[in-house]
Amino acid sequence: MDVKAIRGFNDVLPDEIGKWQYVEKAAREVFEGFGFSEIRIPILEPTELFSRGIGEATDIVEKEMYTFTDRSGNSLTLRPEATASMARAYLEHQLYTFDPVAKLYCIGPMFRYERPQKGRYRQFYQIDAEVFGVENPMVDAEVIVMLIHFLNRVGLEKLELQINSLGDRSCRPRYREELKKFLTSKSFQLCEDCQRRLQTNPLRIFDCKVETCQAAIADAPKVSDFICSECQKHFDKVKEYLEMAGLTYILNPRMVRGLDYYTRTAFEVVSYQLGSQNAVTGGGRYDNLFQEIGGLDIPGIGFAIGMERLVSLLPKEKEFVLRPDLFVAALGEGPFKEAYRIINQLRLAGVRAELDYESKSLKSQMRRADKLKARYALILGEEELKKGKAVLRNMATKFQEEIPMANLLETLKDRIQQNP
Ligand SMILES: [Zn+2]
Ligand SMILES: [Zn+2]
């Protein structure tokens, strides 16, 4: 076939899907335990939502969005992130009239036109959690505690939590000016993009990977030296609540985050698991976002986890492939029909059971049972069947026993329990 997937778009195949389902299930369980509800939002939104919500002077809006005009002439964009859409839904459906506090999560694909690399796709998946309507620093800590708990739950170890405060509307502009002044004196060192950023959004120069730009910002003023007393108080409380929850953290005064709407608490989780340093996820508070998109003054905080990265960091020794509990191998026409009857019964009882649709030789059926990694095989022959019996084989130990067909389900459940 010569029709292929679009460049940067990826298939997640059955041998990988177990990891994805495992992570998604854990996210739902952990987040719901913290009082969050799932929200499902459209993949397409009016372009304006992102240009206002994320900010015009960002890489995402400037060059990474999938934007097109539909048949009615409206400019639409495939969502590059979920926060703006979740905030839009909260405002549009006036969720705040029921309860000003909304704790929401969303799992799904996002789209960015970036250069595809190994493990990085233009359609990528995120797990997002957001709290709208609470300014109290307790919720900042709560969100971080939930995130770390979730990452530990899926088996990630050697994690480092980094936090910073980015200030707010009253103190951040002053920092921005100081940073601009400082970087203007070093502008000869900046790349072309950063020359432009210097005018539009100097904070974003922190995200630039170009070496000379990194050198230029190495001794730039720190945002932590500019935050006002209100922001400092808020940040101190966040730290206190994190300590109360038993979490250790590292202060990272260089963490700035490129998006315009971030305010106050920012955090990142770094994994040292594979010997090297990997940013796993990040998030923060964004008390200005709602005003950008809707005019109401509503605080928000949340995080997004990239699923591809997370899945790649899962413990290697853990098994994620879905295996049949039982493979029924039948020899002859009578047993084949009996196998079909048994399989239906077992499946209705919740046993993952499989058979071979072509009744071939025992050898070839057992080969398929092996390939599917079945835990047990049930061998049904004419003779045994007449006696109401069959042979149950443990595929791992090769131990075989003759069992009565009458209580097959009980026997099977018992054996699976013994050898999960
Ligand atoms: Zn640069
Ligand atoms: Zn402030």
Side-chain angles (χ1 to χ4, degrees):
M1 193 178 76
D2 49 11
V3 182
K4 298 228 164 70
I6 306 164
R7 187 166 133 84
F9 287 67
N10 183 39
D11 298 307
V12 181
L13 300 176
D15 65 341
E16 274 286 302
I17 205 71
K19 295 181 185 174
W20 291 69
Q21 291 174 333
Y22 169 75
V23 161
E24 288 167 6
K25 185 162 175 266
R28 288 175 203 284
E29 284 173 12
V30 170
F31 295 0
E32 285 166 14
F34 276 74
F36 284 66
S37 301
E38 184 173 359
I39 182 170
R40 300 205 182 179
I41 45 176
I43 282 171
L44 269 181
E45 295 275 9
T47 302
E48 199 189 354
L49 175 67
F50 303 115
S51 52
R52 280 162 59 184
I54 300 174
E56 294 279 4
T58 54
D59 275 357
I60 298 176
V61 172
E62 277 172 357
K63 48 190 179 190
E64 292 172 0
M65 293 205 303
Y66 275 92
T67 297
F68 62 93
T69 308
D70 75 359
R71 291 173 198 274
S72 315
N74 304 311
S75 178
L76 305 180
T77 293
L78 284 168
R79 61 182 189 199
E81 52 114 70
T83 311
S85 301
M86 285 158 86
R88 193 238 346 111
Y90 176 80
L91 292 175
E92 184 171 340
H93 303 288
Q94 300 175 352
L95 297 183
Y96 47 83
T97 55
F98 168 66
D99 184 352
V101 181
K103 298 160 94 172
L104 305 168
Y105 74 87
C106 156
I107 302 175
M110 310 294 153
F111 304 84
R112 288 186 201 172
Y113 195 84
E114 289 181 280
R115 206 155 56 88
Q117 308 164 27
K118 193 178 179 298
R120 257 190 115 103
Y121 303 102
R122 288 175 170 172
Q123 173 175 332
F124 57 99
Y125 289 77
Q126 278 188 347
I127 302 176
D128 269 84
E130 315 286 345
V131 180
F132 299 147
V134 193
E135 208 182 343
N136 193 310
M138 187 186 277
V139 93
D140 301 46
E142 184 182 298
V143 162
I144 294 171
V145 168
M146 177 173 89
L147 172 62
I148 300 290
H149 177 54
F150 164 68
L151 295 174
N152 288 333
R153 164 84 183 269
V154 297
L156 265 61
E157 287 168 357
K158 297 187 185 157
L159 299 177
E160 182 181 275
L161 169 64
Q162 303 183 351
I163 58 171
N164 194 21
S165 176
L166 309 182
D168 61 0
R169 248 171 302 202
S170 70
C171 53
R172 192 156 152 151
R174 201 161 65 84
Y175 172 64
R176 209 177 146 120
E177 276 317 299
E178 282 302 314
L179 183 67
K180 194 169 167 182
K181 225 188 283 171
F182 174 85
L183 287 171
T184 305
S185 71
K186 304 217 165 199
S187 66
F188 61 94
Q189 262 180 276
L190 300 177
C191 73
E192 209 177 300
D193 275 342
C194 288
Q195 299 276 356
R196 198 168 35 80
R197 287 171 181 149
L198 187 55
Q199 301 311 318
T200 55
N201 186 357
L203 291 169
R204 281 190 43 227
I205 297 176
F206 280 94
D207 298 334
C208 184
K209 301 277 180 285
V210 176
E211 232 170 85
T212 54
C213 300
Q214 284 291 325
I217 55 166
D219 7 83
K222 296 184 186 105
V223 61
S224 50
D225 294 333
F226 288 81
I227 62 173
C228 65
S229 63
E230 283 305 302
C231 287
Q232 189 59 55
K233 245 187 270 171
H234 190 273
F235 193 42
D236 288 342
K237 284 279 178 200
V238 173
K239 290 186 274 187
E240 190 187 325
Y241 286 126
L242 287 175
E243 283 155 24
M244 282 174 68
L247 283 193
T248 48
Y249 55 81
I250 285 184
L251 296 177
N252 178 358
R254 301 246 154 246
M255 189 195 307
V256 169
R257 308 194 72 82
L259 300 189
D260 265 348
Y261 58 62
Y262 280 105
T263 52
R264 292 192 169 171
T265 315
F267 52 91
E268 274 175 22
V269 180
V270 173
S271 159
Y272 288 91
Q273 199 164 279
L274 304 174
S276 57
Q277 186 181 333
N278 286 289
V280 182
T281 163
R285 185 167 272 290
Y286 42 84
D287 295 344
N288 297 343
L289 169 68
F290 280 90
Q291 291 209 317
E292 297 293 332
I293 64 169
L296 287 170
D297 195 4
I298 294 166
I301 181 165
F303 59 77
I305 309 172
M307 292 268 286
E308 285 81 2
R309 170 70 56 84
L310 183 59
V311 160
S312 76
L313 291 170
L314 290 181
K316 294 281 171 283
E317 64 283 0
K318 197 169 158 58
E319 180 137 19
F320 295 100
V321 181
L322 278 175
R323 305 164 57 188
D325 299 312
L326 184 73
F327 186 94
V328 181
L331 295 165
E333 204 178 323
F336 189 61
K337 273 192 182 153
E338 179 61 11
Y340 175 72
R341 195 186 63 80
I342 290 170
I343 264 193
N344 276 332
Q345 272 184 357
L346 291 175
R347 285 173 174 168
L348 294 183
V351 176
R352 198 174 148 92
E354 201 44 86
L355 53 56
D356 207 346
Y357 296 104
E358 312 294 326
S359 62
K360 292 183 212 136
S361 70
L362 179 62
K363 203 171 155 193
S364 82
Q365 293 188 57
M366 294 310 283
R367 231 185 347 249
R368 180 138 189 270
D370 250 337
K371 201 160 74 183
L372 297 177
K373 296 195 166 76
R375 289 183 169 84
Y376 287 88
L378 188 75
I379 302 159
L380 279 183
E382 298 276 10
E383 287 308 307
E384 291 93 340
L385 203 57
K386 270 183 214 152
K387 291 185 280 177
K389 293 188 166 166
V391 172
L392 185 67
R393 176 182 169 92
N394 180 324
M395 295 298 287
T397 65
K398 314 267 192 270
F399 174 76
Q400 297 199 159
E401 58 183 321
E402 201 174 59
I403 59 162
M405 289 295 286
N407 39 17
L408 172 64
L409 183 62
E410 287 70 32
T411 310
L412 196 62
K413 281 192 167 162
D414 180 62
R415 297 297 183 277
I416 290 171
Q417 212 165 35
Q418 285 170 26
N419 298 298

